[in-house]
């Protein structure tokens, strides 16, 4: 009995196990569908675009003058606007120098002119009398030509005329000297700095002030040699308005972005020997808003960023720069909604946009979503299609900091991370297979 009982228990257990094995339920078959990426795309639309060129520079006056005293004397009057930053119109009196000595010189010159005129009139009368005598006796007396001229008082008359001319010249000089005691503004402008003040004695050649004109300002910009093909700049033989590209100027003042308009009027005509850049000069009309309603002054010395309007280029495709991968490749979605790696030719400019010249055809779809792991041929699903000419353009210069640059990663955040690529999909299928075996 001790042997039979254990054997019987083992036999019964085996029979029960066989019965359970034979009567086991059939496992349910589960088909795992591979998950596809959900992406946003841009439909290629070719455009004719003016590719802009970025530059920087400092605003400078086109005319800057150092006022010099042309006469000596004491400063007797000073304009209320004769201060650093003071505004004046052309012809306004800025300074006055003591005129007493110059008024006395003017009176002496006027007296000398009056005396010379009287002397000339006397000589003319004597010459007339001498002429009458010469006519009466010329037949009876033979004289040389020099004697005749002396008899007709021609030398005396010429001397009187010369003295009058000299007196008139002295009078003009005295008037000029007197006029130079009044320092007038040579143009509409501002006082940059003043060097003298009332009561101070100045000599000829003393510096009085530094001023600059404000009818328009200038901006000198360095254009790299490899950017010149993008621009249509004025030349010595072509100065038409079409060769004066527009320039948009930007500067951050008081935490706010300010904008002004200008145009390139000339280039300096030579390349810099060290940097190989060509300097272009832009003009900005009425920078201080004297004759316009611009809300903000463009002050001399302001450092600005410039966006120069480029020449018109045809058949360009505009895309966000972050889509371009190493080797100038982008992801393109084909007709079967599979990713294809496409090499493109890019005309690269400043900013967050790229301009594709070759490699993309009209109507093709370019993937906009950021893809971490992907291989050509992977299946995707399209969530949205946006024409490339309607994508959000690059923010204007200094419009938003780099940290605020809008992201074009439009992939939904609720996608299972296991669906981010074919390797993860295989791992998912393998996990499900092991679960089936366990069941």
């Amino acid at each position: 009995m001790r042997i039979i009982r254990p054997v019987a228990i083992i036999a019964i257990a085996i029979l029960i196990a066989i019965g359970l094995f034979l009567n086991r339920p059939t496992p349910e078959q589960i088909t795992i569908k591979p998950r596809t990426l959900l992406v946003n795309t841009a439909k290629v639309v070719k455009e004719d675009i003016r590719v802009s060129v970025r530059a920087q520079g400092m605003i400078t006056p086109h005319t800057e003058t150092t006022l010099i005293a042309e006469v000596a004397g004491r400063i007797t009057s000073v304009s209320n606007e004769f201060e650093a930053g003071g505004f004046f119109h052309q012809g306004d009196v800025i300074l006055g120098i003591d005129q007493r000595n110059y008024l006395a010189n003017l009176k002496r010159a006027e007296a000398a002119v009056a005396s010379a005129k009287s002397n000339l009139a006397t000589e003319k009368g004597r010459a007339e009398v001498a002429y009458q005598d010469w006519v009466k006796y010329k037949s009876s007396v033979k004289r040389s030509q020099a004697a005749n001229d002396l008899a007709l008082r021609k030398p005396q008359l010429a001397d009187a005329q010369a003295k009058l001319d000299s007196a008139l010249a002295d009078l003009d000089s005295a008037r000029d000297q007197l006029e130079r005691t009044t320092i007038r503004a040579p143009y509409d402008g501002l006082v940059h700095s003043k060097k003298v003040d009332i009561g101070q004695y100045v000599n000829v050649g003393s510096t009085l002030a530094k001023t600059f004109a404000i009818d328009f300002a200038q901006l000198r910009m360095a254009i790299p040699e490899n950017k010149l093909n993008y621009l249509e700049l004025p030349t010595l033989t072509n100065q038409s308005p079409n060769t004066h590209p527009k320039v948009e100027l930007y500067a951050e003042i008081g935490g706010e972005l300010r904008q002004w308009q200008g145009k390139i009027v000339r280039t300096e005509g030579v390349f810099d020997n060290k940097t190989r850049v060509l300097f272009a000069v832009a003009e900005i009309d009425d920078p201080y808003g004297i004759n316009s309603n611009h809300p903000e002054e463009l002050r001399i010395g302001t450092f600005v960023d410039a966006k120069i309007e480029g020449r018109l280029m045809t058949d360009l495709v505009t895309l966000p720069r972050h889509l371009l991968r190493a080797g100038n490749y982008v992801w393109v979605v084909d007709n079967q909604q599979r990713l294809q790696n496409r090499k493109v030719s890019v005309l690269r400019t400043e900013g967050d946009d790229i301009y594709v010249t070759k490699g993309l055809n009209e109507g093709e779809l370019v993937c906009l979503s950021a893809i971490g792991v992907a291989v050509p041929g992977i299946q995707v699903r399209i969530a949205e299609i946006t024409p490339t000419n309607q994508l959000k353009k690059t923010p204007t210069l200094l419009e938003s900091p780099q940290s605020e640059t809008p992201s074009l990663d439009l992939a939904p955040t609720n996608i299972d991370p296991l669906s981010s690529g074919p390797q993860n999909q295989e791992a998912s299928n393998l996990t499900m297979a092991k679960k089936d075996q366990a069941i």
Side-chain angles (χ1 to χ4, degrees):
M1 293 299 293
R2 292 180 179 178
I3 297 174
I4 293 174
R5 287 180 180 175
V7 172
I9 293 173
I10 293 173
I12 293 172
I14 292 174
L15 291 175
I16 294 173
I18 293 174
L20 291 175
F21 178 78
L22 294 177
N23 294 323
R24 73 185 187 277
T26 303
E28 182 181 357
Q29 298 293 327
I30 300 177
T31 303
I32 304 299
K33 295 182 179 180
R35 288 178 154 180
T36 57
L37 292 173
L38 183 64
V39 298
N40 283 349
T41 59
K43 185 177 181 180
V44 173
V45 176
K46 294 189 176 182
E47 305 174 83
D48 295 340
I49 302 174
R50 292 189 180 274
V51 180
S52 61
V53 174
R54 302 298 175 92
Q56 294 177 323
M58 187 174 66
I59 302 298
T60 58
H62 72 93
T63 301
E64 190 170 10
T65 306
T66 299
L67 299 182
I68 302 294
E70 297 181 85
V71 294
R74 183 172 53 85
I75 303 295
T76 57
S77 64
V78 175
S79 171
N80 293 332
E81 299 298 327
F82 187 62
E83 297 288 346
F87 171 73
F88 51 81
H89 292 283
Q90 182 177 6
D92 287 352
V93 177
I94 301 177
L95 294 171
I97 298 176
D98 189 2
Q99 298 181 344
R100 289 176 295 179
N101 292 337
Y102 302 100
L103 287 172
N105 292 337
L106 178 61
K107 290 181 178 180
R108 282 194 290 266
E110 290 174 345
V113 170
S115 176
K117 287 182 177 180
S118 176
N119 185 39
L120 179 61
T122 301
E123 287 299 332
K124 285 182 178 180
R126 291 175 179 175
E128 181 66 25
V129 173
Y131 177 75
Q132 297 296 332
D133 293 340
W134 180 79
V135 171
K136 183 185 300 184
Y137 300 107
K138 69 176 181 177
S139 59
S140 60
V141 180
K142 292 184 178 181
R143 301 187 182 96
S144 64
Q145 183 62 40
N148 288 333
D149 291 342
L150 185 59
L152 294 174
R153 301 189 66 83
K154 288 183 178 180
Q156 294 86 341
L157 188 62
D159 181 64
Q161 182 64 51
K163 290 180 178 179
L164 176 60
D165 293 339
S166 177
L168 290 173
D170 291 340
L171 178 61
D172 291 338
S173 177
R175 287 173 177 169
D176 291 340
Q177 293 290 320
L178 179 62
E179 185 178 355
R180 289 168 184 169
T181 59
T182 301
I183 311 300
R184 298 183 181 273
Y187 41 67
D188 293 352
L190 295 179
V191 177
H192 181 273
S193 61
K194 70 173 186 177
K195 305 297 183 180
V196 298
D197 213 330
I198 191 167
Q200 184 174 345
Y201 185 88
V202 295
N203 291 311
V204 177
S206 298
T207 300
L208 303 178
K210 290 186 177 181
T211 63
F212 58 87
I214 58 172
D215 51 347
F216 64 89
Q218 291 185 341
L219 174 64
R220 185 171 180 257
M221 300 169 291
I223 310 298
E225 190 175 1
N226 60 355
K227 299 292 185 182
L228 294 179
N229 288 335
Y230 304 155
L231 302 175
E232 191 171 4
L233 298 173
T235 62
L236 293 178
T237 58
N238 187 5
Q239 295 288 338
S240 66
N242 295 331
T243 62
H244 294 173
K246 296 180 181 179
V247 181
E248 295 181 2
L249 308 179
Y250 303 92
E252 189 173 358
I253 300 176
E256 296 185 7
L257 186 68
R258 304 293 184 181
Q259 180 178 356
W260 299 269
Q261 299 292 330
K263 62 180 179 180
I264 293 179
V265 295
R266 61 183 174 86
T267 64
E268 295 188 355
V270 294
F271 284 102
D272 186 85
N273 293 333
K274 297 181 179 179
T275 60
R276 303 306 301 166
V277 299
L278 177 68
F279 285 97
V281 179
E283 286 186 358
I284 305 94
D285 291 332
D286 195 17
Y288 283 83
I290 301 299
N291 301 315
S292 62
N293 295 323
H294 199 282
E296 187 67 34
E297 296 179 345
L298 180 57
R299 297 178 178 87
I300 299 299
T302 303
F303 190 83
V304 297
D305 293 289
K307 181 179 178 181
I308 307 172
E309 180 185 54
R311 67 171 73 244
L312 186 66
M313 296 188 177
T314 59
D315 295 335
L316 296 184
V317 180
T318 307
L319 292 175
R321 174 173 283 186
H322 75 270
L323 299 182
L324 190 68
R325 307 195 324 278
N328 286 356
Y329 283 92
V330 296
W331 288 116
V332 176
V333 181
D334 60 15
N335 295 333
Q336 287 76 36
Q337 293 191 1
R338 296 181 181 276
L339 287 180
Q340 300 297 335
N341 208 13
R342 183 75 60 82
K343 185 177 179 64
V344 296
S345 298
V346 176
L347 179 68
R348 191 180 290 271
T349 62
E350 291 82 356
D352 293 332
D353 291 340
I354 59 173
Y355 299 98
V356 178
T357 57
K358 295 180 182 179
L360 296 177
N361 299 320
E362 188 83 19
E364 287 188 319
L365 299 180
V366 178
C367 179
L368 293 177
S369 300
I371 301 176
V373 179
V375 294
I378 187 174
Q379 193 77 32
V380 296
R381 290 182 295 129
I382 298 175
E384 183 179 355
I385 299 177
T386 305
T388 56
N389 59 350
Q390 296 181 12
L391 293 174
K392 184 175 181 179
K393 298 298 182 182
T394 302
T396 302
L397 198 63
L398 297 178
E399 182 176 345
S400 60
Q402 185 175 359
S403 61
E404 299 178 0
T405 302
S407 173
L408 291 178
D409 182 6
L410 302 179
T413 57
N414 58 355
I415 296 179
D416 195 319
L418 295 177
S419 65
S420 61
Q423 295 177 354
N424 289 337
Q425 290 180 3
E426 293 177 0
S428 176
N429 294 339
L430 182 60
T431 302
M432 296 302 295
K434 290 181 178 179
K435 291 180 180 180
D436 291 342
Q437 292 177 1
I439 294 175

